[in-house]
Amino acid sequence: MKTIFAAMKTIFAAIVLYTSSNCIASDPLPSWNDGTARDAIIDFVECSTKDGCINYIDPQDRIAVFDNDGTLWSEQPVYFQLMFAIDRVKEMAKEHPEWKSEQPFQAVLENDMEELKTSGKEGLMKIMAVTHAGMSTDEFAEIVHNWITTAKHPQKNMLYKDMVYQPMLELLDYLREHEFKTYIFSGGGIEFMRVFAEEVYGIPPEQVIGSSIVTKYELQDGVPVLIRQPKIDFIDDKEGKPISINKFLGKRPVAAFGNSDGDLQMLQWTTVGKGSRFGLIVHHTDGDREWAYDRESAIGRLDKAFTEAKAKGWTIVDMKQDWKTIYPEK
Amino acid sequence: MKTIFAAMKTIFAAIVLYTSSNCIASDPLPSWNDGTARDAIIDFVECSTKDGCINYIDPQDRIAVFDNDGTLWSEQPVYFQLMFAIDRVKEMAKEHPEWKSEQPFQAVLENDMEELKTSGKEGLMKIMAVTHAGMSTDEFAEIVHNWITTAKHPQKNMLYKDMVYQPMLELLDYLREHEFKTYIFSGGGIEFMRVFAEEVYGIPPEQVIGSSIVTKYELQDGVPVLIRQPKIDFIDDKEGKPISINKFLGKRPVAAFGNSDGDLQMLQWTTVGKGSRFGLIVHHTDGDREWAYDRESAIGRLDKAFTEAKAKGWTIVDMKQDWKTIYPEK
């Protein structure tokens, strides 16, 4: 028996050696340049997951929350969900000849963004009502699926779902490899994002939370359906983020990742908790490879959260400096 | 090397034999009597988790949803959360001398349930406002924790958290052992249940969903808090259950467990999905060991759902016949 155990020990040692050398050899964040942002991420993850470390976090408390627009994928020149609505109006216009002379639809059909802006929130709500409501949840998911697998960004000529940030995909994987549970809390539509979040980010539907509209339960020929109503249920932005984090999670995350003033309260709520905490802001500085904008931008404005990030020592990612690549290579 | 592998094979065979004989020997539902309900549960779980079986369900789709009041714990003579509110009014009355002559508080302080009933929904809302709102989410959790660990049921003289059904605890464990994810969707308060659901049912906060009130994000001396407002956000009952299941899960469960008309839509929604599905209704038939009630009860009425359960072949548990014990032995 002694021989057997000695042999088994050798085999096990070889396995352990292979596994650990494999770990050390592979860079978990290959698209990140060396710098303070990368260091801060690795420090946080390594320290909070090493048993015995003063900043150790129990696996069940390893919850990381991410904004979506501007944090995991691009958001210029307008949020991609608005592009979906615009494409959808054009698609539906065949059955609505009256839209040719009815605002805000006319503006959409004529690509008149200035006119569209003048229709304001009321106009936007009309567009959202026809494109996002009036169908069952299953039908809506199918419409979004068809769009996300075919529609392309007008300037970049890329599928929208390919305009996700490769460095952030690596970060999501890196966190999950260290037993962090990754969630999205976004101002975007909950049922819009859930269609592609699992495939694109590896985040399952129940971990994708966003703004919602009211749904109504109906029996159609005895078959239950949920019909989407043209009425806002909840806006998951600004103060809404900690509110929905509390509602959906029932506990406080330990790490939060955002890019705009809409994420400020989520970062405040996350980083004041006891023990090791991490807050990160993606700063859009790369006008060549992506877009450059911050304090003055109408979309994804980063002003108050920028000031507070500096004051509180949250990690600020400079896209131009810190990221080797922006989008995944195809 | 041949000798080593032969020895390893023997060791592995012994481990496998030990593990599997252990599985066969232990009864997963020891508090359930033999009968159609027990058979239906075991058939569903065994068939849906055996690879190659026609009713096989992928692990990521194994989602089971449970009602709480009357399904996992008792609910008579009134929902336990109302008992909490009543106890809380009595506790708070020290600081509210005016309640001695102000309805509905006077009725509560004088244990005058008839008078309390006449105050109707408006009276109930007043009680909920003072007992469930006006404090931070953390403060509320502490108040509930203090109550649930000390308060006793007036008739049974048991802690409320001990008035959970032993057979259902076994069922929860049995499902989880077969990689089902167990959720609560209850008309009860989401932040009320989350205080004890993990300890009592083994269900973590993010898998406990219930009715909610509005919360407001505030900075108090720079520290963010969520303050509970005296305003209903969502009632997670009847049609509300499939609506919140869709919102919180983003996918359809495969098994649903309830006991009253408040669970009807949850069972409809769950059982019409494709593939193997399971619906179960707990029928309160045991007036000696628990309570006996159904079609005429004001609390936990089982009328429409009873008729539909029979018509659709959902499993009906007869508590008196099917359960060897009601509450866990202490």
Side-chain angles (χ1 to χ4, degrees):
Chain A
M1 284 299 275
K2 242 185 177 175
T3 325
I4 296 164
F5 283 123
M8 283 174 76
K9 213 172 154 186
T10 313
I11 294 165
F12 276 110
I15 292 168
V16 169
L17 195 69
Y18 175 77
T19 317
S20 62
S21 68
N22 229 17
C23 274
I24 294 161
S26 73
D27 177 357
L29 301 172
S31 300
W32 291 71
N33 285 316
D34 285 336
T36 52
R38 189 179 187 282
D39 288 350
I41 292 167
I42 291 177
D43 275 359
F44 169 72
V45 173
E46 297 293 323
C47 292
S48 59
T49 58
K50 203 177 284 168
D51 210 358
C53 179
I54 192 167
N55 287 326
Y56 182 77
I57 300 170
D58 283 331
Q60 73 266 26
D61 293 326
R62 291 182 201 159
I63 294 171
V65 292
F66 287 80
D67 169 57
N68 186 40
D69 297 306
T71 299
L72 295 180
W73 73 353
S74 294
E75 60 180 352
Q76 297 291 356
V78 292
Y79 300 121
F80 292 175
Q81 193 172 352
L82 183 56
M83 295 304 293
F84 161 75
I86 287 171
D87 287 352
R88 190 77 196 128
V89 164
K90 290 177 181 173
E91 174 77 21
M92 294 171 76
K94 299 166 200 160
E95 288 149 37
H96 293 274
E98 73 278 11
W99 286 356
K100 278 182 190 153
S101 57
E102 188 185 328
Q103 294 298 4
F105 306 108
Q106 187 184 343
V108 172
L109 298 177
E110 293 171 358
N111 293 316
D112 186 348
M113 291 298 131
E114 286 311 306
E115 178 61 37
L116 184 58
K117 273 184 198 164
T118 66
S119 75
K121 199 181 160 190
E122 202 187 325
L124 191 64
M125 286 307 294
K126 278 187 189 169
I127 290 170
M128 296 306 273
V130 301
T131 57
H132 283 68
M135 71 292 280
S136 74
T137 48
D138 286 348
E139 286 161 351
F140 181 71
E142 200 184 324
I143 292 166
V144 176
H145 177 78
N146 290 341
W147 181 82
I148 199 81
T149 50
T150 57
K152 289 188 172 179
H153 191 278
Q155 290 152 270
K156 299 276 182 187
N157 196 33
M158 293 169 71
L159 289 176
Y160 292 99
K161 73 186 177 84
D162 292 338
M163 292 180 68
V164 295
Y165 305 133
Q166 175 63 23
M168 296 303 279
L169 297 181
E170 292 167 8
L171 176 55
L172 285 167
D173 279 339
Y174 178 51
L175 286 166
R176 289 191 291 251
E177 277 163 17
H178 285 78
E179 293 180 73
F180 281 83
K181 230 170 147 179
T182 53
Y183 281 81
I184 288 174
F185 283 89
S186 166
I190 184 168
E191 300 209 69
F192 177 80
M193 294 183 292
R194 281 176 173 176
V195 173
F196 56 86
E198 186 143 27
E199 179 202 327
V200 174
Y201 304 128
I203 302 180
E206 72 271 19
Q207 287 165 225
V208 177
I209 294 98
S211 298
S212 50
I213 62 176
V214 171
T215 61
K216 189 163 175 277
Y217 183 80
E218 282 180 12
L219 290 178
Q220 291 185 348
D221 299 325
V223 179
V225 288
L226 290 170
I227 302 296
R228 293 168 59 84
Q229 308 294 307
K231 191 182 167 193
I232 286 172
D233 173 48
F234 187 77
I235 300 291
D236 192 24
D237 198 35
K238 296 194 168 73
E239 292 83 1
K241 293 205 182 196
I243 289 169
S244 69
I245 287 171
N246 182 60
K247 194 192 292 179
F248 278 78
L249 291 182
K251 61 166 76 172
R252 209 182 283 249
V254 293
F257 303 82
N259 77 298
S260 78
D261 285 359
D263 305 315
L264 175 59
Q265 290 81 358
M266 177 170 81
L267 269 93
Q268 288 173 338
W269 180 250
T270 300
T271 55
V272 295
K274 284 178 200 155
S276 180
R277 302 282 154 163
F278 191 74
L280 182 147
I281 290 277
V282 174
H283 184 202
H284 293 260
T285 52
D286 197 328
D288 293 327
R289 295 185 300 170
E290 208 239 5
W291 284 270
Y293 56 97
D294 45 41
R295 295 187 193 271
E296 303 299 327
S297 180
I299 300 284
R301 176 173 301 180
L302 175 63
D303 182 23
K304 287 180 193 169
F306 201 21
T307 303
E308 195 155 328
K310 288 175 181 177
K312 294 200 168 156
W314 298 335
T315 296
I316 298 171
V317 171
D318 181 325
M319 280 177 82
K320 194 170 178 173
Q321 296 290 333
D322 289 324
W323 289 0
K324 284 182 194 158
T325 54
I326 305 289
Y327 304 123
E329 274 183 44
K330 285 285 146 184
Chain B
M1 284 298 277
K2 243 188 178 174
T3 325
I4 296 164
F5 282 122
M8 282 174 77
K9 214 173 153 186
T10 313
I11 294 165
F12 276 111
I15 292 168
V16 170
L17 195 70
Y18 174 77
T19 316
S20 61
S21 67
N22 228 17
C23 274
I24 294 161
S26 73
D27 177 356
L29 300 171
S31 300
W32 291 71
N33 285 315
D34 285 336
T36 52
R38 188 178 187 282
D39 288 349
I41 292 167
I42 290 177
D43 275 359
F44 169 73
V45 174
E46 296 293 323
C47 293
S48 60
T49 58
K50 203 176 282 167
D51 211 357
C53 179
I54 192 166
N55 288 325
Y56 182 77
I57 300 169
D58 283 330
Q60 73 266 27
D61 293 325
R62 291 183 201 157
I63 294 171
V65 291
F66 287 79
D67 169 58
N68 185 40
D69 298 306
T71 299
L72 295 179
W73 73 353
S74 293
E75 59 181 351
Q76 296 291 354
V78 293
Y79 300 120
F80 293 175
Q81 193 172 352
L82 184 55
M83 295 304 293
F84 161 74
I86 287 171
D87 287 352
R88 190 80 195 125
V89 164
K90 290 176 180 173
E91 173 78 22
M92 294 171 76
K94 300 166 201 161
E95 288 150 37
H96 294 273
E98 74 280 10
W99 285 356
K100 279 182 191 152
S101 57
E102 188 185 328
Q103 294 297 7
F105 306 107
Q106 186 184 343
V108 171
L109 298 176
E110 294 170 357
N111 293 315
D112 186 348
M113 290 299 130
E114 286 311 306
E115 178 62 36
L116 184 57
K117 273 184 199 164
T118 66
S119 75
K121 199 181 161 191
E122 202 187 327
L124 190 64
M125 286 308 294
K126 279 187 188 169
I127 290 170
M128 296 306 273
V130 300
T131 58
H132 284 69
M135 71 291 280
S136 74
T137 48
D138 287 347
E139 286 161 351
F140 181 71
E142 199 183 325
I143 292 166
V144 176
H145 177 78
N146 289 341
W147 181 81
I148 199 81
T149 50
T150 56
K152 289 188 172 179
H153 190 278
Q155 290 152 271
K156 300 276 183 188
N157 197 33
M158 294 169 71
L159 289 175
Y160 291 100
K161 73 187 178 85
D162 292 339
M163 292 179 68
V164 295
Y165 306 133
Q166 176 62 25
M168 296 303 280
L169 297 181
E170 292 166 7
L171 176 56
L172 285 168
D173 280 339
Y174 178 50
L175 285 166
R176 288 190 292 250
E177 277 162 16
H178 285 78
E179 293 180 75
F180 281 83
K181 228 170 149 180
T182 53
Y183 281 81
I184 289 175
F185 283 89
S186 166
I190 184 167
E191 300 209 70
F192 177 79
M193 295 183 291
R194 281 176 172 176
V195 174
F196 55 87
E198 185 143 27
E199 178 202 328
V200 175
Y201 305 127
I203 302 180
E206 72 273 19
Q207 288 165 227
V208 177
I209 294 99
S211 298
S212 50
I213 62 177
V214 172
T215 61
K216 189 164 176 278
Y217 183 80
E218 282 179 12
L219 290 178
Q220 291 185 349
D221 298 326
V223 179
V225 288
L226 290 171
I227 303 296
R228 293 169 58 85
Q229 308 294 307
K231 191 181 166 194
I232 286 172
D233 172 49
F234 187 77
I235 300 292
D236 191 23
D237 199 34
K238 296 194 168 73
E239 291 83 2
K241 293 204 181 195
I243 289 169
S244 68
I245 286 171
N246 181 61
K247 194 192 292 180
F248 278 78
L249 290 181
K251 60 165 78 171
R252 209 181 282 248
V254 293
F257 303 82
N259 77 299
S260 78
D261 285 359
D263 305 314
L264 175 58
Q265 290 81 358
M266 177 170 81
L267 269 93
Q268 289 173 337
W269 180 249
T270 300
T271 55
V272 295
K274 282 178 202 155
S276 181
R277 301 282 154 163
F278 191 74
L280 182 147
I281 290 279
V282 175
H283 184 201
H284 292 261
T285 52
D286 198 327
D288 293 328
R289 295 185 299 171
E290 208 238 4
W291 283 271
Y293 56 97
D294 45 41
R295 294 188 192 272
E296 304 298 326
S297 179
I299 301 283
R301 176 171 301 180
L302 176 63
D303 181 22
K304 287 180 193 169
F306 202 20
T307 304
E308 195 155 328
K310 288 176 180 175
K312 295 200 168 157
W314 298 336
T315 297
I316 298 171
V317 172
D318 181 326
M319 280 177 82
K320 194 170 177 174
Q321 296 289 334
D322 289 324
W323 289 0
K324 284 181 192 158
T325 53
I326 305 289
Y327 303 123
E329 274 183 44
K330 286 284 147 186

